[in-house]
Amino acid sequence: MNVELKVLKALYNFAIKCKCARENPVSEVSFYRQIEKKPRFLQGKEIKELLDNSNGLYPVLYAFLKTGLRKSELINLKWKDIDFRRKYITVESKTRENPVINGLVVL
């Protein structure tokens, strides 16, 4: 609902600039308050089931679960970004570093 309201407000503002409208009838309409849900994390049994049924994606799923990397970060990872001695992954173009969990190095 908020997306549609945002589009309508922008559309009317543009129409006012183009002199196609005199006022924005939705300018005073408030956005819908959305309750933010806390993220739900997989439990041990769910992780085991996911990995057991990974159908060849085990290394990728395991890396996601053990490092917390985003999809784009994992896809763009290069060998030079992994410091096996320090057990760190440096995420390119980010200032954060992610520790590599011991189990990940075994892969």
Side-chain angles (χ1 to χ4, degrees):
M1 176 177 290
N2 285 339
V3 173
E4 291 88 349
L5 184 55
K6 192 174 186 177
V7 169
L8 278 173
K9 286 183 178 192
L11 180 67
Y12 272 104
N13 288 336
F14 181 73
I16 291 168
K17 282 183 183 179
C18 294
K19 300 195 185 330
C20 295
R22 292 186 190 153
E23 63 182 60
N24 186 340
V26 290
S27 65
E28 299 299 317
V29 178
S30 300
F31 286 106
Y32 177 72
R33 284 191 75 167
Q34 295 176 321
I35 299 169
E36 284 193 37
K37 293 181 182 178
K38 290 183 180 180
R40 181 187 171 286
F41 298 98
L42 295 176
Q43 301 301 311
K45 185 178 178 182
E46 295 170 311
I47 291 171
K48 183 179 178 343
E49 188 174 338
L50 175 66
L51 292 174
D52 287 347
N53 296 293
S54 61
N55 298 327
L57 293 175
Y58 184 94
V60 175
L61 293 173
Y62 192 84
F64 275 130
L65 293 167
K66 289 291 189 174
T67 64
L69 289 172
R70 295 176 182 97
K71 179 176 70 170
S72 62
E73 292 170 339
L74 190 61
I75 289 170
N76 293 311
L77 203 60
K78 308 282 186 262
W79 284 112
K80 68 177 178 64
D81 300 327
I82 303 170
D83 184 340
F84 288 99
R85 187 180 55 77
R86 286 180 43 222
K87 296 183 179 177
Y88 265 82
I89 295 174
T90 301
V91 181
E92 197 170 314
S93 77
K94 304 279 185 209
T95 56
R96 69 186 183 116
E97 290 185 335
N98 291 325
V100 177
I101 307 301
N102 286 335
L104 184 59
V105 177
V106 175
L107 290 177

